[in-house]
């Protein structure tokens, strides 16, 4: 219910901040934290409570909120750095105690690394985390967040390339986007994204398909082979998820003039 109410944040935050204090370690707080992460910088009033939440089993979700807030969450930067380096660790998401520090990386370390970069604007901590993940093949890395770094993370490109052939469609799509963002080279990425659009032919649009449409819109002309299928989907009588339509129109608008095959609804 809170997600569309960001414009009324000023009125809502007294209650939200009380909830963050009263339910700091409760699993029921997680949907609230997910919503605040979507609100982004609007949630900056809650930074003191979110810093406290970093000491609970909801720390991973609090990291996401702090990162989405950005520079206003600066009081959390030191704690996040320690999480990434393994100097300190919060409880597990189920409340259990972690293995001794240095034995196993905290499962939310990437969330903390990403948040540290978003808050400080300095990619060193995030890149150090990714360098460690690259040595293991990036199998557990959040490729979407890696993609946000763009060319700064070019050193991760060799580890991303094999993931274009991953058996999982979501991983393939995210790897294709990350490859393009890191290298600027659409050639290996576009065929993967076009293949992800195939469900549209049968009137379906799963999450990888819809994500691929958004990435195709960013790539633009190099992915214009998607135009016929996107046009057909927009003019179809089938009902697709609502977020498909603006993404498909944005993609078609990014293609060269004359690429589209018919009038857009």
């Amino acid at each position: 219910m809170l997600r569309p109410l960001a414009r009324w944040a000023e009125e809502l935050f007294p209650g939200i901040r009380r909830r963050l204090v009263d339910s700091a370690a409760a699993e029921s707080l997680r949907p609230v934290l997910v919503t605040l992460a979507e609100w982004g910088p609007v949630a900056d009033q809650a930074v003191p409570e979110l810093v406290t939440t970093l000491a609970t089993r909801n720390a991973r979700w609090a990291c996401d909120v702090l990162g989405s807030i950005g520079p206003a969450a600066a009081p959390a930067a030191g704690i996040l750095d320690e999480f990434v380096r393994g100097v300190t660790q919060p409880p597990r998401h189920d409340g259990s105690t972690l293995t001794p520090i240095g034995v196993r990386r905290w499962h939310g370390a990437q969330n903390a690394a990403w948040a540290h970069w978003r808050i400080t604007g300095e990619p060193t901590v995030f890149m150090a985390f990714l360098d460690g993940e690259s040595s293991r093949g990036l199998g557990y890395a959040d490729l979407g967040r890696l993609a946000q770094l763009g060319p700064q993370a070019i050193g991760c490109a060799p580890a991303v390339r094999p993931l274009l052939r991953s058996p999982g469609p979501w991983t393939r799509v995210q790897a294709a986007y990350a490859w393009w963002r890191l290298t600027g080279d659409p050639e290996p990425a576009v065929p993967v994204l076009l293949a992800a659009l195939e469900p549209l032919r049968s009137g379906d649009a799963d999450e990888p398909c819809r994500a691929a449409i958004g990435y195709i819109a960013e790539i633009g002309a190099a992915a214009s082979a998607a135009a016929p299928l996107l046009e057909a989907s927009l003019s179809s009588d089938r009902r697709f998820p609502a977020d498909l339509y603006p993404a498909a129109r944005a993609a078609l608008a990014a293609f060269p003039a004359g690429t589209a095959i018919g009038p857009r609804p």
Side-chain angles (χ1 to χ4, degrees):
M1 293 176 62
L2 284 173
R3 290 185 184 184
L5 301 180
R7 71 179 70 179
W8 291 284
E10 194 69 32
E11 291 80 5
L12 293 169
F13 257 111
I16 292 173
R17 295 181 73 175
R18 283 196 300 273
R19 177 72 181 277
L20 289 171
V21 171
D22 295 342
S23 305
E27 188 172 343
S28 61
L29 185 65
R30 292 172 191 173
V32 177
L33 294 172
V34 170
T35 296
L36 294 179
E38 294 185 5
W39 281 13
V42 173
D44 62 353
Q45 297 180 49
V47 167
E49 291 78 14
L50 291 165
V51 170
T52 300
T53 306
L54 291 176
T56 74
R57 63 178 184 156
N58 289 324
R60 179 162 64 88
W61 290 266
C63 287
D64 288 347
V65 185
L66 291 161
S68 71
I69 289 170
I79 300 173
L80 297 171
D81 180 26
E82 291 182 353
F83 284 172
V84 179
R85 292 187 293 114
V87 176
T88 58
Q89 295 176 331
R92 289 184 179 275
H93 61 80
D94 61 0
S96 63
T97 303
L98 284 175
T99 52
I101 291 175
V103 174
R104 180 183 298 176
R105 187 195 295 270
W106 176 49
H107 69 280
Q110 181 170 216
N111 304 69
W114 171 82
H116 186 275
W117 167 59
R118 293 271 299 180
I119 290 167
T120 66
E122 170 53 57
T124 305
V125 170
F126 195 9
M127 287 302 306
F129 170 86
L130 290 169
D131 287 344
E133 289 296 296
S134 293
S135 66
R136 294 189 289 271
L138 289 178
Y140 296 100
D142 184 328
L143 296 171
R145 290 184 171 174
L146 167 60
Q148 291 178 26
L149 280 168
Q152 294 179 98
I154 187 64
C156 294
V160 170
R161 185 66 182 262
L163 298 177
L164 296 171
R165 301 185 298 276
S166 169
W170 178 254
T171 299
R172 290 196 301 270
V173 166
Q174 294 299 305
Y177 180 60
W179 173 268
W180 176 71
R181 286 277 299 160
L182 270 56
T183 68
D185 175 17
E187 187 173 346
V190 168
V192 175
L193 298 175
L194 294 178
L197 303 186
E198 286 300 307
L200 296 175
R201 299 188 189 280
S202 58
D204 191 16
D206 57 14
E207 190 173 5
C209 174
R210 301 197 307 278
I213 294 172
Y215 300 152
I216 284 169
E218 289 191 45
I219 293 172
S224 59
L229 188 51
L230 295 178
E231 284 277 12
S233 300
L234 287 175
S235 60
S236 171
D237 292 334
R238 295 181 181 272
R239 298 297 300 171
F240 293 104
D243 59 347
L244 177 143
Y245 297 96
R249 293 189 181 100
L252 290 167
F255 299 156
T259 301
I261 60 174
R264 297 176 204 166

